[in-house]
Amino acid sequence: MSWRSTALYYRMLNEMSEARHGSLENTASIVVTLPFAPLVAAMERGDSDAVSSRIAEAASQLEAAGAGCVLLTAFTAHFAVDVVRDAISIPLIDVGDALAQVCRDRKLDRVGMLGTTYTLESGHVAGRLAANGIEALLPEPKLATRVNAMIQGELTRGSLSETGGGIFDEAVDHLAGRGAQAVALACTELPLLLPRTSQVPLIDGVEAHVAFALSAMEKKA
């Protein structure tokens, strides 16, 4: 939920809307930005319930303001989707379902996944993929920890070192070596590294989420 990932979502949402519907046809949207530091502190002390409650409160604000659906612009925050869904009556567009749709469209059934250690350990996104018949391959723990440190220490702060990029490339190669047909970037900051050369296709999780949400809105309309 760093503001950088929210900015990426906002830009991509409107660029994709104009690409689909024409110049100046941006999407009407409402954004609630939560201060990131208190959420990180709560997660670090193990108080995920407090984080879930705050996210659900923000979702309720969006519904009250007239939103027709809700997106959480953070993969890690998807551990709170059940609490959020209980707090609102409008749809929550799940990023795991969005990635599953991309995998189905590309006929992929064995996909590597990179993200924060919390996203990988919580199993929410991998579970949504599994429910759609798609196996999610995760990096080995030590490598996952290094990727997590790169995300938290660099990308959420708007920077990227050559070492950090090397860690990302190593993780992608590792998953490809285990048989991944593609690697899903299950983190809203990881697409900030793109474009990037790799031996298997990279699935931009933000792009997938935005496209899935726009399609859902268009069907509803």
Side-chain angles (χ1 to χ4, degrees), residues 13 27-32 56-72 84 87-93 213 217 220:
L13 176 69
T27 296
S29 59
I30 305 164
V31 179
V32 175
E57 179 185 341
S60 295
Q61 287 179 263
L62 290 170
E63 182 173 18
C69 66
V70 169
L71 285 77
L72 305 182
V84 175
I88 58 177
S89 58
I90 56 178
L92 184 148
I93 310 297
M217 291 164 61
K220 190 175 181 180

Side-chain angles (χ1 to χ4, degrees), residues 21-191:
H21 305 295
S23 178
L24 307 182
E25 293 289 346
N26 60 294
T27 296
S29 59
I30 305 164
V31 179
V32 175
T33 302
L34 301 177
F36 194 37
L39 299 179
V40 172
M43 292 300 292
E44 288 177 345
R45 66 174 180 267
D47 194 358
S48 59
D49 288 345
V51 177
S52 295
S53 295
R54 184 67 188 91
I55 295 170
E57 179 185 341
S60 295
Q61 287 179 263
L62 290 170
E63 182 173 18
C69 66
V70 169
L71 285 77
L72 305 182
T73 63
F75 277 71
T76 300
H78 278 70
F79 74 87
V81 291
D82 291 337
V83 175
V84 175
R85 285 195 175 103
D86 287 343
I88 58 177
S89 58
I90 56 178
L92 184 148
I93 310 297
D94 195 302
V95 76
D97 295 337
L99 284 176
Q101 182 64 57
V102 171
C103 291
R104 287 196 299 269
D105 290 345
R106 300 185 186 181
K107 296 179 171 47
L108 304 173
D109 57 18
R110 189 176 173 83
V111 177
M113 193 170 83
L114 294 177
T116 65
T117 51
Y118 200 94
T119 294
L120 302 184
E121 291 170 358
S122 71
H124 175 78
V125 178
R128 302 295 278 201
L129 292 174
N132 285 273
I134 301 155
E135 180 184 3
L137 298 176
L138 308 183
E140 58 90 18
K142 288 184 179 179
L143 185 53
T145 298
R146 292 169 62 205
V147 171
N148 183 76
M150 182 266 290
I151 292 169
Q152 302 293 350
E154 296 187 10
L155 297 183
T156 60
R157 302 172 192 274
S159 65
L160 174 66
S161 68
E162 186 175 334
T163 300
I167 292 170
F168 175 84
D169 293 339
E170 181 184 346
V172 171
D173 289 345
H174 163 72
L175 292 168
R178 292 180 54 202
Q181 300 160 312
V183 173
L185 308 189
C187 168
T188 43
E189 278 80 23
L190 285 176

